[in-house]
Amino acid sequence: IFVHGFLLMDGEKMSKSLGNVLDPFAVIERFGSDALRFYLLRDVQFGQDGSVSTAAFEQRYESELANDLGNLASRTIAMVHRYRDGLVPRVALDAHLGADFRGLGEQLSQLLDRAELTQGLELIWERVRRLNRYVEEQTPWVLAKDDQKAAELDRVLASLIAGLRVLALLLH
């Protein structure tokens, strides 16, 4: 049996009588239940007591879900549409990037088996940050300007889509 800890607001256990609560229904209505689950698992080590706040939720949502993951997905998909008419190239993926993802499923499975959910999300988020760095390193917008680098652009775009697919499945 795994039991979560207490959620604290301003250093105290949340209580309706004290009025120091993070209203989950308001958060879910505005951002969705997945975003709330993500925040709680990211900010509060599972099984431990942890502080939460509306400001911390909004900051985590904005920085990680919207910026890190959302912008990565949005710009990757936009580049596939812009440079390859929406078709993901069927080419060999970047082996160096693939090495960064190798064994991820097994590592994550081991963490989840031990109810180390926060660490599992960090493992995934390391790959989100890696894909963002990959975009900056490979500069697909520069590759797209040179017809001689079409194969390289195909490899980069296909590798980004493959990485996003893995992340989406693991986050689900």
Side-chain angles (χ1 to χ4, degrees), residues 3-7 38-52 60 111 114-120 122:
V3 180
H4 65 76
F6 287 103
L7 298 178
F38 175 82
Y39 165 69
L40 292 173
L41 292 173
R42 265 314 251 153
D43 266 25
V44 180
Q45 177 101 7
F46 188 76
Q48 304 296 315
D49 295 350
S51 293
V52 297
R60 176 83 62 186
L111 290 170
R114 295 191 306 261
E116 295 177 6
L117 307 176
T118 304
Q119 294 85 343
E122 178 55 30

Side-chain angles (χ1 to χ4, degrees), residues 28-150:
I28 289 169
E29 186 174 311
R30 183 169 173 206
F31 298 98
S33 59
D34 288 336
L36 179 58
R37 273 192 291 275
F38 175 82
Y39 165 69
L40 292 173
L41 292 173
R42 265 314 251 153
D43 266 25
V44 180
Q45 177 101 7
F46 188 76
Q48 304 296 315
D49 295 350
S51 293
V52 297
S53 72
T54 303
F57 170 83
E58 289 179 0
Q59 192 279 330
R60 176 83 62 186
Y61 181 90
E62 211 37 57
S63 68
E64 291 189 359
L65 290 177
N67 290 338
D68 290 349
L69 182 59
N71 286 342
L72 171 66
S74 177
R75 71 187 197 170
T76 298
I77 292 166
M79 287 187 289
V80 169
H81 279 281
R82 183 178 308 122
Y83 304 135
R84 296 298 178 257
D85 296 321
L87 300 174
V88 178
R90 291 181 181 242
V91 297
L93 302 178
D94 186 309
H96 295 292
L97 184 63
D100 292 335
F101 280 76
R102 196 164 295 116
L104 177 59
E106 292 80 18
Q107 290 175 302
L108 184 59
S109 181
Q110 290 172 3
L111 290 170
L112 295 179
D113 286 346
R114 295 191 306 261
E116 295 177 6
L117 307 176
T118 304
Q119 294 85 343
L121 275 174
E122 178 55 30
L123 198 63
I124 293 170
W125 231 256
E126 288 171 3
R127 282 15 178 244
V128 170
R129 289 187 294 267
R130 176 63 186 110
L131 285 178
N132 275 304
R133 279 193 320 274
Y134 183 74
V135 171
E136 296 304 317
E137 293 163 2
Q138 299 301 315
T139 60
W141 53 91
V142 173
L143 297 174
K145 293 177 183 176
D146 186 348
D147 290 340
Q148 300 295 317
K149 298 197 177 192

